[in-house]
Amino acid sequence: MPKNLFPLDSTKSFKDQDIVGHNRWHPDIPAAVTVNPGDTFRIDCREWFDGDIKNDDSAQDILEAPVSKVHALSGPFHIKGAKPGDLLIVDILDVGPIPQEDEGPLAGQGWGYTGIFAKNNGGSFLVDQFPDAYKAVWDFNGQTATSRHVPGVSFTGLIHPGLMGTAPSHELLKKWNDREAALIATDPNRLPPLALPPEPKDAVLGTLTGDDFDRVAAEGARTAPPRENGGNQDIKNLSKGTRVFYPVYVDGAHFSVGDLHFSQGDGEITFCGGIEMSGFIDVHVDVIPGGMDKYNVKENAIFMPGNVEPRYSEWISFSGTSVTLDGEQRYLDSQLAYQRACLHAIDYLTTFGWTPEQVFLLLGAAPIEGRFSGVVDIPNSCATVYIPTAIFDIDVRPGAGDVPKIDPGIGAPRAANA
């Protein structure tokens, strides 16, 4: 096992650890650990809400989840010799929950959760149809996930970090804050908001204190969206065996990682659509000097996915086009088309006995595949969602016989005052 350079204690909050990470992006957050190019090491990661979400049958914790706390990131890691303009190579050697047999302070976690976030607390991809807070808890058995809240399904997880990235330069940070502030100003009272501005409340900034802490907390970018540095891309295929090439914007690159998922559908459509968990990740790092110019990488990461995807061979797929539920035609709106494809899948699967909320949670957690299938034929984009049929305990294919039914069980908990 590689040496653990970022050990965490599950009995302590993120900011009270012996080694403290961060939950904002800023170039002045001090490095927590220094490593050399060519080093291999292990990193412990807290789940993105630092343990606020519980293994129970209530969604009150989802409703009240403090979005100002996310994401709990391990790092930054200073890579000696890395300079702006380089490419940082990150190889994911292994990633998973803390082993169950581990008796140390970060004891094994055999469960994770998926949440539909309420409209007034982050929302979701389908927020207008699902404005309230719901939760599903998933149990892990090896590589398989099942849930008492979504019975009748089980699937193989594709474990991955939802968030990895390098620190922005001061110039890049200003660009982020300026452009996102301009977007917010177009509709400042919108729910969910158009973007999340800097928020000093609940900021965790490594070892910073005093005036430096206050300045960085007021300037630091929130970690919710993906940006030029990588960040919260939520790409389910960034699993074991993946190699990622990140642009370097500051000396030492200042690499960070967190937001581990046991599984996730393409798009992470419920906002915390992946199965969120604490866990570990083993990485190997290296540097390509001048790699951004060498390969004409102006921004954003390049990645080579590993080959550990679940082996599903039969799918049931649903399509959608860029026409709203009210019948309004939109021009090549691929996001709307994907929303419609997901809604068609939800409508279809409810005929077998699941509630719409159970299906929505399933689409966020299971290894579904989302594709932009047609983006050139005006006025309609076409998007598709592929669901592996083997994850269901019953046959969900259309047929001539009676529609089989499942027992929806206790259902997905809904927050009482959502």
Side-chain angles (χ1 to χ4, degrees):
M1 184 179 80
K3 183 177 181 181
N4 193 339
L5 298 186
F6 206 95
L8 297 176
D9 182 340
S10 62
T11 67
K12 298 179 180 179
S13 69
F14 191 56
K15 63 183 180 181
D16 294 327
Q17 300 286 333
D18 293 336
I19 183 170
V20 180
H22 63 106
N23 60 7
R24 302 290 190 268
W25 290 118
H26 197 287
D28 294 343
I29 297 173
V33 180
T34 297
V35 298
N36 293 305
D39 281 356
T40 296
F41 49 94
R42 173 163 290 193
I43 306 166
D44 285 341
C45 297
R46 297 282 281 164
E47 64 91 12
W48 73 313
F49 270 109
D50 191 24
D52 282 340
I53 312 302
K54 307 303 181 184
N55 185 349
D56 59 22
D57 298 327
S58 168
Q60 291 302 117
D61 49 8
I62 296 292
L63 176 66
E64 299 165 4
V67 177
S68 55
K69 290 179 64 172
V70 300
H71 293 79
L73 299 183
S74 297
F77 291 84
H78 181 99
I79 292 82
K80 288 183 181 178
K83 299 291 184 185
D86 294 347
L87 285 177
L88 175 66
I89 304 173
V90 178
D91 288 309
I92 301 176
L93 306 181
D94 199 3
V95 57
I98 301 298
Q100 286 286 77
E101 65 272 13
D102 189 329
E103 296 180 356
L106 194 63
Q109 180 190 2
W111 65 278
Y113 67 89
T114 301
I116 299 173
F117 271 58
K119 188 170 186 176
N120 63 356
N121 191 34
S124 72
F125 184 58
L126 303 176
V127 67
D128 290 333
Q129 290 74 42
F130 298 89
D132 299 330
Y134 288 81
K135 182 173 74 179
V137 173
W138 301 88
D139 294 311
F140 308 151
N141 184 13
Q143 289 289 115
T144 301
T146 58
S147 174
R148 63 185 182 273
H149 298 132
V150 189
V153 297
S154 62
F155 49 84
T156 302
L158 182 55
I159 304 174
H160 62 280
L163 194 160
M164 296 194 295
T166 53
S169 64
H170 286 96
E171 294 76 16
L172 183 57
L173 175 64
K174 184 178 186 303
K175 181 189 294 186
W176 293 350
N177 285 338
D178 287 350
R179 74 190 183 198
E180 291 170 24
L183 177 62
I184 293 169
T186 65
D187 191 357
N189 298 316
R190 183 181 185 271
L191 283 177
L194 290 169
L196 298 175
E199 172 56 78
K201 180 184 177 183
D202 292 324
V204 179
L205 305 172
T207 58
L208 284 180
T209 58
D211 292 343
D212 286 337
F213 181 97
D214 293 341
R215 173 181 58 82
V216 171
E219 298 172 352
R222 307 287 288 279
T223 59
R227 298 186 182 92
E228 290 90 331
N229 67 328
N232 191 34
Q233 294 182 294
D234 289 314
I235 300 170
K236 76 177 192 299
N237 303 90
L238 297 189
S239 191
K240 188 188 303 186
T242 295
R243 170 170 285 188
V244 193
F245 304 86
Y246 286 107
V248 175
Y249 298 105
V250 301
D251 287 343
H254 285 203
F255 168 76
S256 299
V257 59
D259 190 31
L260 301 189
H261 300 155
F262 187 84
S263 179
Q264 181 201 294
D266 278 337
E268 201 188 21
I269 57 177
T270 68
F271 185 47
C272 76
I275 300 179
E276 309 286 347
M277 68 175 196
S278 297
F280 74 91
I281 182 169
D282 296 341
V283 300
H284 175 274
V285 297
D286 216 329
V287 174
I288 301 176
M292 291 179 70
D293 283 342
K294 182 178 180 180
Y295 293 105
N296 200 25
V297 177
K298 297 179 174 64
E299 56 192 35
N300 297 104
I302 299 169
F303 70 97
M304 301 167 60
N307 57 0
V308 295
E309 290 88 352
R311 295 295 187 258
Y312 292 114
S313 59
E314 183 178 274
W315 308 76
I316 184 167
S317 306
F318 302 85
S319 62
T321 57
S322 45
V323 178
T324 70
L325 287 171
D326 295 330
E328 179 187 350
Q329 180 70 62
R330 300 280 179 84
Y331 178 76
L332 296 181
D333 187 336
S334 294
Q335 174 162 314
L336 173 59
Y338 192 47
Q339 288 177 323
R340 294 302 305 272
C342 291
L343 288 169
H344 293 156
I346 291 169
D347 288 343
Y348 177 84
L349 289 173
T350 57
T351 64
F352 298 92
W354 290 288
T355 68
E357 292 77 19
Q358 286 176 314
V359 180
F360 188 21
L361 287 160
L362 174 65
L363 295 184
I368 67 168
E369 295 189 2
R371 304 178 186 179
F372 290 148
S373 301
V375 294
V376 296
D377 296 317
I378 60 172
N380 271 332
S381 288
C382 176
T384 47
V385 56
Y386 289 59
I387 306 172
T389 57
I391 72 175
F392 299 101
D393 291 350
I394 60 174
D395 187 351
V396 298
R397 298 173 298 177
D402 294 337
V403 176
K405 298 289 185 176
I406 60 95
D407 180 353
I410 64 174
R414 174 182 180 270
N417 60 340

